[in-house]
Amino acid sequence: MAQLDRRTLLTSAGAVGAGAVLAGAGLAPAFAATPGRRVAVLGGGMAGLTAAHELVERGFEVTVFEPSAWGGKARSIPVAGTGAGGRADLPGEHGFRFFPGFYHHVPDTMRRIPFGDGTVGDNLVAASGGKFLRSGEHADAFVFGVGPDPVQLLTVDGLRRFLRDTLGGHSVPPHELTYFVERLLVFLTSCDERRLGQWEKVSWWDFVGAESRSKPYQKILAAGLTRNLVAAKETVASTRTIGNMGEAFVYNIMGRGNDGALDRVLDLPTNEAWIDPWLTYLRGRGVRLVAGQRLVRYETTGGRVSAAVLAGAAGTTSRVEADWFVSAMPVERVVPTLTPDVLALDPSLGRLAALQTDWMVGIQFFLRAPVEITHGHVTFIDSPWALTALTQGQFWTDRVISRDYGDGEVVDILSVDISNWDAPGILYGRPAKECTAEEVAAEVLAQIRDHHTAGDLLPEGIVHSWFLDPGVQWDAAAGRNRNETPLLVNTVDSWSSRPTARTRIPNLVMSGDFVQTDIDLATMEGANEAARHATNAILAESGSSAAPAATYRLYDPPEFAVLKQADRLLYRLGRRNALDLG
């Protein structure tokens, strides 16, 4: 294990500016001047940067350790070697950014980060369009919208009419559409106790009775909306999670409880619009950012974490001591750090091993001509790989792609999310997990072109190049891909396996999108909310007088309060929801 003396520590710290290096064995980091206020944040993605932001603003001395890339899955990824003539490299990404109106935590953070004469929050712009496209000769589907008086919709009858009108047609038999809408109404009028006690334990597929209904019902309503809007597998996802998100989208459309526009995107690549200004702000507040260091394990003494053992890319390990430790890593990276010593202090953390992850990974197509499908997100509802997309050039108002990025030939970027990596494709007949990167690119284009509205807009020769998230790597020996950046899946009854931010170890808190939050979905918003709960746990445990970090709850319409009170009584009596006819 490396030993770093104080001279090495201070010299290295100066060399990286506001950064810091690890302390040697028994040596506190450079921020040791204020005992009780030193925080080590383990992970520099959305959760870690949010925790650092909230804690440094409350007087704590924070160091963030990140093994690979600041911003995590939320960052943009320059495609090395693609810039020419003074232009920047083309901006790739893990997947396109999406900020629905019911996000509150992330926009709040963005509005507290300076950017030019304003804030990063000013870089959020409304996506006023949005299309759900169908393949072949099918008519395009699901043009969401509300009438002039959305208040009238907040009754059972009003919502029933709205949902029937919005979801109707598209080859789903009328009686099956009626059944689906009634199931949605059952959920919307269910109390929180029923949602957690009953619907958390039922898959969405079973809740909407998909198994016994037609193929159009299964494909469009049961699976299509779930995979494309929420990126969850309908056969394993919890009804509570899918229902909560569906409800949020419905009220989002109505403008009820929104932070801003129905659908928002960034007006620059993510690093330029958000991550880089955020890092600058945090450094300016005194946060120390240490790259290339991953958590190996914790050391424990007297019922607390006494140090974190970190490793660099070469495998050399060092210790860092702090008063507080914030775990801000994805769940698949947290589990290996839960040694017997840690689990002896908090056995409940062992349940994290039961949580499941899946793949939702993006690919960008750099285009020689602009593509104008809609001023917003596009869902390719008949794509086996559950594709959604966004054309980015139309939103980057202060950038001209051909002038500012690449070799001058690229004029637009089609950023596509692949949400189902297990279904056979239409070109090679294999799932994305079993396709090389070149085959993934070709298959995604084929599935998009199969949707008639988009097909004519992507002629041969329009694609200049493409970029697949580097977390996906082909394993030639196994004949399949591996993925370093999977996503938590809210499977049936998984809530009880997820921890709260506050653990039984007094100075170790959990953040990340797997932590129990109100948003209850693996998203930027969930990770941000979890980090705020982690901050508040430290404030409470330390006896700080600082104001807690603000947290928000999804909108709960007062118009349904009486219905939910009645349902609470029915649930306690062991009876069905009043609208649940079985």
Side-chain angles (χ1 to χ4, degrees):
M1 181 175 292
Q3 303 295 316
L4 304 179
D5 62 24
R6 185 170 295 277
R7 176 175 295 178
T8 301
L9 178 67
L10 296 178
T11 301
S12 300
V16 296
V21 295
L22 304 179
L27 177 65
F31 53 84
T34 312
R37 310 293 284 178
R38 306 166 303 165
V39 183
V41 178
L42 304 162
M46 178 57 55
L49 296 181
T50 302
H53 190 143
E54 299 295 342
L55 287 163
V56 77
E57 289 189 344
R58 288 162 175 79
F60 287 82
E61 299 170 20
V62 183
T63 297
V64 185
F65 301 94
E66 166 56 34
S68 53
W70 300 109
K73 290 191 283 286
R75 76 193 190 281
S76 47
I77 308 168
V79 185
T82 57
R87 302 175 187 86
D89 287 336
L90 290 166
E93 56 190 0
H94 174 78
F96 59 71
R97 305 278 79 80
F98 171 42
F99 304 83
F102 58 80
Y103 278 17
H104 287 80
H105 298 90
V106 166
D108 173 74
T109 295
M110 297 173 85
R111 294 180 185 121
R112 292 155 51 202
I113 303 170
F115 186 92
D117 295 330
T119 72
V120 164
D122 299 329
N123 295 331
L124 287 173
V125 295
S128 57
K131 287 188 176 180
F132 286 70
L133 306 185
R134 298 296 311 278
S135 65
E137 299 304 317
H138 293 106
D140 293 340
F142 308 135
V143 180
F144 288 107
V146 297
D149 188 7
V151 173
Q152 294 181 358
L153 298 179
L154 282 169
T155 65
V156 170
D157 286 340
L159 273 176
R160 182 181 286 117
R161 289 192 300 270
F162 167 68
L163 293 169
R164 282 178 178 172
D165 292 344
T166 299
L167 303 176
H170 315 296
S171 69
V172 176
H175 68 283
E176 292 187 348
L177 172 64
T178 297
Y179 177 79
F180 184 79
V181 168
E182 294 305 313
R183 297 307 291 164
L184 296 183
L185 292 173
V186 167
F187 187 86
L188 291 172
T189 57
S190 288
C191 63
D192 289 342
E193 291 88 344
R194 187 184 298 279
R195 293 185 185 194
L196 184 59
Q198 183 176 1
W199 303 138
E200 170 68 15
K201 298 174 173 58
V202 178
S203 75
W204 181 252
W205 186 261
D206 290 339
F207 177 76
V208 298
E211 190 63 32
S212 62
R213 285 171 172 80
S214 67
K215 291 296 182 184
Y217 180 95
Q218 294 174 347
K219 183 175 185 179
I220 297 172
L221 298 182
L225 292 178
T226 302
R227 290 181 183 264
N228 288 287
L229 287 178
V230 189
K233 289 186 176 179
E234 64 286 343
T235 55
V236 300
S238 154
T239 291
R240 176 175 177 266
T241 297
I242 301 303
N244 283 341
M245 287 298 95
E247 180 180 50
F249 275 107
V250 168
Y251 299 144
N252 188 31
I253 293 168
M254 297 178 185
R256 298 295 293 267
N258 283 12
D259 171 86
L262 168 68
D263 181 3
R264 295 166 290 183
V265 298
L266 292 171
D267 62 1
L268 291 167
T270 311
N271 281 8
E272 296 180 47
W274 182 14
I275 303 302
D276 290 345
W278 201 1
L279 297 177
T280 298
Y281 172 75
L282 294 177
R283 288 189 181 103
R285 292 297 299 255
V287 173
R288 298 163 177 89
L289 303 173
V290 183
Q293 298 292 326
R294 64 177 176 84
L295 175 67
V296 177
R297 67 181 183 276
Y298 299 102
E299 294 180 358
T300 61
T301 305
R304 300 170 68 88
V305 174
S306 54
V309 177
L310 306 179
T316 304
T317 60
S318 300
R319 297 173 73 249
V320 61
E321 296 178 355
D323 301 302
W324 309 97
F325 295 85
V326 180
S327 173
M329 302 169 291
V331 66
E332 72 276 3
R333 297 187 182 181
V334 171
V335 170
T337 70
L338 301 177
T339 60
D341 288 346
V342 173
L343 293 178
L345 299 177
D346 189 347
S348 68
L349 294 177
R351 295 198 293 268
L352 285 174
L355 297 179
Q356 298 180 32
T357 60
D358 205 340
W359 297 20
M360 181 180 177
V361 181
I363 183 171
Q364 289 77 55
F365 294 95
F366 302 112
L367 307 177
R368 293 188 173 94
V371 172
E372 298 181 2
I373 301 177
T374 186
H375 192 257
H377 293 90
V378 184
T379 296
F380 303 96
I381 202 161
D382 290 308
S383 57
W385 290 2
L387 305 178
T388 49
L390 182 77
T391 55
Q392 295 178 318
Q394 61 185 321
F395 297 105
W396 293 355
T397 53
D398 290 334
R399 292 288 184 271
V400 177
I401 294 177
S402 60
R403 180 194 68 196
D404 298 323
Y405 304 99
D407 60 5
E409 293 186 17
V410 175
V411 303
D412 206 351
I413 302 172
L414 178 66
S415 186
V416 184
D417 279 357
I418 306 168
S419 298
N420 186 353
W421 285 72
D422 295 306
I426 65 174
L427 196 60
Y428 301 105
R430 299 196 305 276
K433 288 180 179 176
E434 298 176 11
C435 290
T436 65
E438 291 76 13
E439 291 171 337
V440 168
E443 180 72 58
V444 169
L445 274 178
Q447 292 186 27
I448 289 175
R449 286 169 170 156
D450 191 47
H451 291 70
H452 60 85
T453 298
D456 295 339
L457 298 176
L458 291 173
E460 293 296 328
I462 193 174
V463 176
H464 170 279
S465 54
W466 50 268
F467 177 77
L468 180 64
D469 184 289
V472 175
Q473 293 291 321
W474 179 252
D475 185 336
R480 61 188 295 112
N481 289 301
R482 63 178 187 275
N483 183 13
E484 297 177 356
T485 56
L487 193 68
L488 175 76
V489 179
N490 295 66
T491 53
V492 169
D493 207 18
S494 60
W495 177 263
S496 60
S497 296
R498 295 163 58 189
T500 60
R502 193 168 188 171
T503 73
R504 297 179 191 174
I505 305 173
N507 67 334
L508 174 64
V509 295
M510 289 284 159
S511 63
D513 57 19
F514 62 90
V515 172
Q516 290 184 0
T517 59
D518 189 61
I519 192 75
D520 188 33
L521 191 68
T523 56
M524 297 183 294
E525 178 78 352
N528 189 298
E529 180 186 344
R532 292 166 183 250
H533 290 304
T535 296
N536 292 341
I538 290 177
L539 295 178
E541 188 67 32
S542 67
S544 172
S545 60
T551 57
Y552 305 86
R553 295 184 61 85
L554 291 172
Y555 181 69
D556 189 5
E559 291 87 346
F560 281 4
V562 173
L563 290 171
K564 290 182 179 181
Q565 289 174 3
D567 187 60
R568 186 172 296 109
L569 176 60
L570 291 173
Y571 179 70
R572 290 173 179 174
L573 293 173
R575 298 174 61 183
R576 292 177 175 174
N577 177 280
L579 300 180
D580 190 353
L581 302 180

